[in-house]
Amino acid sequence: MITYREAKSSDWNDIKFIISLYPKILMQDHLPNWNKFFVAENEIRVVGCCALDIYSKRIAEIRSLVVMLDYQGKGIGIKLIELCLNKAKIKGVREVIVMTGKEKLFHKFGFN
């Protein structure tokens, strides 16, 4: 069973570890702070993460979306994106951007 929540400071090492598994895809430098992340976890560990970096009321960016290989294809990335978009809406952000190589995934949410 996968559960989702906002990250805690104790998740920071797990978040950095998961991101480090994809060095050619995700930037290791200039990561958002831990408190901008949502995490997906099984009963044992964090298996996915995604950050919403809010720059102003006008704009925010979904960043650092990653799901461990064994958990891909199970809708975890979709749920993490939904959490980011919901937070942006609650915070009154007018526009959310994303830079990604996974265009098809983000097209489901109206990004182009």
Side-chain angles (χ1 to χ4, degrees):
M1 180 174 153
I2 302 297
T3 57
Y4 302 87
R5 61 176 171 76
E6 290 191 21
K8 302 180 282 193
S9 61
S10 58
D11 296 319
W12 189 229
N13 286 335
D14 291 333
I15 290 168
K16 290 189 297 185
F17 172 73
I18 293 171
I19 291 171
S20 76
L21 297 175
Y22 301 91
K24 293 182 179 182
I25 300 169
L26 295 171
M27 290 179 46
Q28 308 298 304
D29 299 337
H30 306 99
L31 289 175
N33 291 331
W34 65 266
N35 60 350
K36 296 182 180 187
F37 278 88
F38 288 94
V39 295
E41 62 184 351
N42 62 16
E43 298 80 26
I44 301 168
R45 64 183 174 160
V46 171
V47 298
C49 64
C50 189
L52 179 69
D53 215 348
I54 299 175
Y55 303 121
S56 69
K57 284 281 190 185
R58 185 182 159 274
I59 194 163
E61 180 181 8
I62 294 177
R63 298 184 53 193
S64 305
L65 171 63
V66 63
V67 176
M68 293 182 83
L69 190 58
D70 293 349
Y71 291 87
Q72 291 179 7
K74 301 177 187 300
I76 293 170
I78 289 170
K79 180 64 177 173
L80 289 167
I81 293 167
E82 288 173 348
L83 290 168
C84 288
L85 291 173
N86 286 337
K87 185 171 185 176
K89 184 176 181 179
I90 290 167
K91 295 285 188 179
V93 175
R94 292 183 294 238
E95 183 178 359
V96 178
I97 62 170
V98 64
M99 288 183 259
T100 183
K102 299 287 184 182
E103 293 91 359
K104 188 175 178 182
L105 173 63
F106 284 92
H107 283 163
K108 295 177 184 179
F109 294 95
F111 290 91
N112 52 36

